[in-house]
Amino acid sequence: MKPSNIAPSIARFGFRGGELKAATIFCVGIVALSGCGRSELKVSGPLRQRGYLWQREWTSAVIESLREASGRMDGVVILGAEINLAGKKPGVVKASIDWEAVKRQIEHCSIALRVTPFAGPFRADDAPIRTIADLARQLIEEAGAHDVKLEEFQLDFDCARKNLTGYRTWLRLVRSAVHPIRFVITTLPAWLDDPEFRALLRETDGYVLQVHSVPISNGQGATLCDTRLARRWVEKAARLKFPFSVALPTYRCSAGYGPDGKLISVAMDSVQPSWPPGTQVLEFGTDPDELANLVDGWQKSRPAELRELLWYRVPIATDARNWRWVTLSAIMAGRRPNHKLNVVQEGVNPIDLSIFNAGEADEQFNSNVTASWNNAGLTASDALRGWNVRSENRRAVFSASTKRGVRLAPGASRKIGWLRFDQPTNLRVELSDQSESVR
């Protein structure tokens, strides 16, 4: 990196006032210490972290989550609308954004426009790009009408790598439509190796590297986010010398695959598809411990070009397939969330048993609950729905009736059954291996 190129590069990617001055001094200092011939510069310290509020319908839970995000994150990126280009004419679904809530609760706000898969053609004046550009302007105008100052406009489109040249045509027009707001695109790791990628980035003010995705085929070892690959992709992106953000996942989902092993559709909190007979359904999740290690590693040492983390998605209390705030907060700090499951006893006789997640992360409970006692006779027992109980020799074992077991969010509990004795007794309970049997 040549010293004369540092300040223009930073300014072009959207730094403001004092941030530009500080960033320029910081980078000049690194170059002075490291020498101009060094190809990879490393920095450390906290990263800016924002989240995607990806909701079509704005409920009270969404508004509450926005309030929570304002105190925990450096900003949010709100889903503005989605465009489907698969039909004869573009279909548009706008999010029911409560702009007054946005104005009241969040200081740093950006907006995103999602475009569903489209194979082309990518022309400069046809229905697809006119719809995209017009909707981009409309979203910005709506924000302005409510005195919401947008910091950034994101275009979220997973373009096929073979179409990147055509995609540039779209980007020039969208950037013109949203000017002077900072224009950012989401990108895929596969694009990093394409010779068109650098030219593509020059049509933008920045980009978000998505290192998570639902596998397109049901191969062995598939995952939402391979942290080993994420590190490799970030290093590769840094070598392009364009500042960038990284998008990381907070969700889990079910994916349906056809007989050919190809992805049909995905079930998430807001989408529940109907799969045809013969569909293989696989569950995918995000490992909080691995993501915590990833964040911790980047805070200790990362390429200077990596400027920010973006979390998909901001936790909503009504979501069933997303982390809770307690989980995300720990990981944003680069700390593994605490894992702790307790067995809770209630009552004297009978004694009700529950599993309680006293930790900071979702837990998939596949163990048994073993209860043992002395000097009493078991007169009755029962397992609640989803559980089985086996008892013998002053010992009872409760086990989930499904292979998946039970999933518990932080702070959640699940009643599993009860035991009645011929006299009050002290019950000892513990979590045991699923293979545990009554002896």
Side-chain angles (χ1 to χ4, degrees):
M1 180 184 293
K2 297 179 181 178
S4 59
N5 292 335
I6 293 174
S9 174
I10 294 172
R12 189 166 65 84
F13 278 82
F15 285 83
R16 302 183 298 275
E19 293 176 340
L20 172 59
K21 181 179 179 181
T24 304
I25 293 172
F26 176 68
C27 287
V28 168
I30 289 180
V31 171
L33 291 172
S34 304
C36 296
R38 187 166 179 139
S39 59
E40 296 182 11
L41 305 176
K42 299 291 184 179
V43 298
S44 63
L47 274 159
R48 186 186 190 215
Q49 300 192 52
R50 292 186 292 162
Y52 285 104
L53 191 65
W54 213 253
Q55 300 287 332
R56 290 182 181 179
E57 299 297 327
W58 277 52
T59 63
S60 58
V62 173
I63 295 172
E64 173 59 24
S65 182
L66 183 70
R67 184 196 66 78
E68 193 76 20
S70 68
R72 295 177 182 264
M73 293 181 151
D74 298 309
V76 296
V77 181
I78 295 171
L79 173 66
E82 294 183 81
I83 299 178
N84 189 335
L85 301 175
K88 291 183 179 180
K89 63 178 183 178
V92 175
V93 178
K94 293 184 66 177
S96 59
I97 300 171
D98 186 333
W99 287 111
E100 290 303 314
V102 174
K103 178 183 176 181
R104 184 173 63 252
Q105 301 200 53
I106 199 77
E107 181 179 358
H108 302 290
C109 179
S110 301
I111 199 162
L113 176 59
R114 168 67 179 167
V115 179
T116 61
F118 177 67
F122 295 83
R123 299 192 176 104
D125 187 22
D126 60 4
I129 187 55
R130 283 199 301 270
T131 301
I132 293 170
D134 289 347
L135 188 53
R137 282 189 286 262
Q138 187 181 127
L139 291 171
I140 293 171
E141 289 170 0
E142 287 179 3
H146 291 85
D147 295 324
V148 174
K149 184 178 180 180
L150 298 176
E151 296 182 341
E152 179 179 285
F153 182 91
Q154 284 195 18
L155 182 61
D156 180 20
F157 175 56
D158 296 341
C159 182
R161 180 175 170 180
K162 64 181 180 181
N163 292 328
L164 292 183
T165 300
Y167 187 31
R168 286 180 60 195
T169 302
W170 276 11
L171 297 185
R172 282 192 289 269
L173 295 169
V174 177
R175 189 181 193 182
S176 176
V178 304
H179 182 78
I181 293 177
R182 173 176 159 84
F183 177 49
V184 173
I185 62 171
T186 57
T187 66
L188 303 177
W191 300 4
L192 296 172
D193 295 317
D194 196 283
E196 281 293 316
F197 190 52
R198 285 178 179 271
L200 196 77
L201 295 181
R202 294 190 182 98
E203 306 295 344
T204 74
D205 299 310
Y207 73 102
V208 180
L209 181 64
Q210 296 181 160
V211 297
H212 65 93
S213 64
V214 178
I216 60 174
S217 61
N218 59 353
Q220 292 290 329
T223 180
L224 285 178
C225 181
D226 186 325
T227 55
R228 177 183 55 85
L229 288 176
R231 291 184 181 91
R232 184 185 303 171
W233 290 329
V234 163
E235 295 295 331
K236 182 180 290 187
R239 289 194 285 271
L240 298 174
K241 299 305 176 186
F242 286 85
F244 64 96
S245 305
V246 167
L248 295 171
T250 66
Y251 64 94
R252 58 188 176 87
C253 65
S254 298
Y257 296 88
D260 59 354
K262 300 301 182 182
L263 180 65
I264 300 174
S265 56
V266 179
M268 301 188 74
D269 281 303
S270 59
V271 180
Q272 299 296 327
S274 177
W275 285 308
T279 300
Q280 181 186 16
V281 180
L282 299 179
E283 294 283 335
F284 295 101
T286 302
D287 188 316
D289 291 351
E290 289 188 6
L291 266 291
N293 291 340
L294 188 67
V295 173
D296 180 57
W298 281 335
Q299 288 177 339
K300 291 175 178 175
S301 177
R302 63 182 180 272
E305 290 78 11
L306 173 55
R307 302 294 173 83
E308 174 191 49
L309 301 180
L310 274 162
W311 295 96
Y312 181 84
R313 311 177 303 268
V314 169
I316 308 289
T318 51
D319 283 352
R321 291 186 166 115
N322 202 21
W323 286 343
R324 296 293 183 255
W325 275 113
V326 64
T327 311
L328 181 55
S329 295
I331 295 165
M332 288 173 64
R335 176 179 64 81
R336 287 189 177 195
N338 295 324
H339 298 271
K340 187 177 182 181
L341 286 171
N342 292 336
V343 180
V344 178
Q345 302 180 47
E346 294 180 288
V348 177
N349 197 16
I351 300 175
D352 295 313
L353 298 178
S354 303
I355 305 170
F356 174 68
N357 185 355
E360 297 175 309
D362 286 8
E363 299 292 348
Q364 191 73 34
F365 181 77
N366 295 305
S367 301
N368 292 331
V369 174
T370 300
S372 57
W373 58 92
N374 294 319
N375 305 322
L378 183 66
T379 60
S381 64
D382 196 13
L384 299 182
R385 184 177 179 182
W387 296 86
N388 299 315
V389 60
R390 309 183 309 279
S391 60
E392 189 178 67
N393 299 329
R394 296 181 180 178
R395 212 158 152 270
V397 178
F398 290 85
S399 58
S401 57
T402 63
K403 291 182 179 179
R404 291 181 183 175
V406 175
R407 191 174 191 88
L408 289 177
S413 63
R414 181 72 58 88
K415 292 185 176 181
I416 63 174
W418 53 268
L419 301 169
R420 188 193 300 275
F421 301 91
D422 59 8
Q423 59 181 296
T425 185
N426 292 322
L427 199 63
R428 299 181 300 277
V429 292
E430 62 180 357
L431 303 179
S432 55
D433 188 84
Q434 198 172 33
S435 63
E436 183 83 11
S437 61
V438 175
R439 293 190 296 270

